[in-house]
Amino acid sequence: MTIDLKALRAQYETLVSKDGDSDSSTTKIPYITLKEGNNIVRILPGKDDDDFVAETAIHRVPQDGQTYDRAVHCLKTHGEDCPLCNLYYALWDGVNNGTTQDEAGDKKLANKIRARSRFYFNALDRGDKNKIKVFSVGVKMYRTIVGSILDEDYITEDDETLIDLNNGHDYKIQKVMEDGWPKYEGSMPRPKITPAAESKKEIAEIMDSLHDIQSLVKHEDYAEVKLMAESIAVTGRVAAMSKSTTTEGKPSKKVEEEEVSNEDYLAKMRGNE
């Protein structure tokens, strides 16, 4: 099975040239939980050639009286106006034009609710009996994985890549904790070519059991998201939202990416859908 390398390369280059960076739901779909150290996974192709990854962006919305944030899928993922994005830009507008009453607080709130890219793959968890799970990653890990897929060292003459079921490669995810945050710089494909499973029958069963990762990109209700944004705007000391609903200014400085571990996202999102 082949994928459209040209289209994938274009998407990859777009991501590399910009900054970005949330996720699960309460469904019983299993997610890969990375332990500290080495984790071996096998990224799987989709049933259709280019359906092996699902992309979304997630806002982290603070909840009163809760220790975790609510994960809200950005409506711009579906080509719609997003009140939370509007609030993000309104907060930065206040900071940049000097009308904010709490510059530090508004910066902190803006950084919290900023939409961060999230990507879902189907993958075999080699450390858990080769179970098929969803591998949820941020933009940095996505770049690493897709960069490897596009690496000519892992592309055969037939354009088979490291996610090929018969002549592909497992992937070693190396998780190192540094100052309380996970780092994955040592992650790379394993050099040996291996099949995804030992027999054609097992491979067929794997492909028949893929999770519907596209369904994980939730289409949020606009009215509900607007209500969230208006509520946060009050606590965030933003004046009338109507004054900034179409404003798309930029932060006064680059906001660094966050690469939060999958288990951290899952812990924050349980009970929020």
Side-chain angles (χ1 to χ4, degrees):
M1 181 177 292
T2 60
I3 60 176
D4 187 340
L5 294 176
K6 183 177 180 180
L8 183 60
R9 183 172 283 106
Q11 182 191 33
Y12 172 72
E13 290 174 350
T14 298
L15 278 171
V16 168
S17 67
K18 70 177 183 179
D19 298 313
D21 185 80
S22 15
D23 112 319
S24 137
S25 66
T26 57
T27 65
K28 297 187 182 302
I29 292 178
Y31 283 74
I32 289 178
T33 299
L34 298 177
K35 67 181 188 299
E36 195 166 355
N38 291 332
N39 302 263
I40 307 301
V41 303
R42 178 63 169 256
I43 307 297
L44 297 170
K47 292 184 179 179
D48 295 322
D49 288 347
D50 295 310
D51 196 31
F52 75 104
V53 61
E55 178 181 0
T56 187
I58 295 181
H59 298 276
R60 291 163 53 193
V61 179
Q63 299 186 99
D64 290 339
Q66 301 290 346
T67 58
Y68 55 85
D69 301 326
R70 176 171 181 174
V72 179
H73 291 257
C74 183
L75 285 167
K76 286 189 176 181
T77 302
H78 300 278
E80 300 176 10
D81 179 61
C82 178
L84 285 169
C85 284
N86 294 337
L87 174 58
Y88 168 79
Y89 290 116
L91 286 163
W92 277 110
D93 282 347
V95 170
N96 292 334
N97 61 30
T99 59
T100 177
Q101 298 177 24
D102 182 358
E103 181 174 337
D106 285 356
K107 285 182 178 179
K108 182 177 180 180
L109 180 58
N111 288 335
K112 175 177 282 291
I113 67 171
R114 177 173 62 93
R116 289 164 170 81
S117 296
R118 205 70 187 162
F119 303 86
Y120 305 116
F121 297 96
N122 273 292
L124 297 177
D125 187 348
R126 296 299 199 196
D128 188 12
K129 302 177 181 179
N130 291 323
K131 292 179 180 177
I132 305 170
K133 300 181 181 180
V134 173
F135 188 28
S136 170
V137 303
V139 69
K140 287 184 179 179
M141 180 58 67
Y142 175 80
R143 289 173 179 171
T144 299
I145 292 172
V146 173
S148 298
I149 292 174
L150 296 172
D151 190 329
E152 292 183 359
D153 288 342
Y154 300 102
I155 300 176
T156 69
E157 294 180 355
D158 298 324
D159 280 343
E160 293 174 342
T161 68
L162 62 84
I163 67 172
D164 184 76
L165 292 167
N166 298 300
N167 298 299
H169 299 257
D170 286 356
Y171 214 97
K172 180 176 71 175
I173 309 295
Q174 188 176 73
K175 177 180 177 180
V176 177
M177 298 303 295
E178 185 176 306
D179 297 326
W181 294 96
K183 303 292 183 181
Y184 303 99
E185 279 78 1
S187 301
M188 63 183 69
R190 302 189 83 175
K192 185 179 180 180
I193 293 177
T194 58
E198 294 182 357
S199 68
K200 292 183 178 180
K201 179 182 178 182
E202 289 176 303
I203 289 176
E205 290 173 347
I206 287 171
M207 295 306 293
D208 286 340
S209 302
L210 295 179
H211 301 293
D212 183 4
I213 53 176
Q214 301 300 329
S215 70
L216 299 177
V217 183
K218 183 178 178 181
H219 194 166
E220 306 281 0
D221 179 75
Y222 178 86
E224 184 178 356
V225 176
K226 187 172 185 293
L227 185 61
M228 290 181 203
E230 290 172 345
S231 176
I232 300 170
V234 174
T235 59
R237 293 163 300 281
V238 177
M241 276 287 293
S242 59
K243 295 181 181 180
S244 300
T245 53
T246 59
T247 301
E248 295 210 357
K250 295 182 178 180
S252 57
K253 63 179 181 179
K254 175 183 176 181
V255 180
E256 293 185 351
E257 296 175 2
E258 291 181 3
E259 182 68 39
V260 179
S261 63
N262 300 313
E263 52 267 38
D264 292 337
Y265 274 107
L266 294 176
K268 290 175 180 176
M269 292 175 33
R270 288 192 177 97
N272 296 337
E273 298 288 294

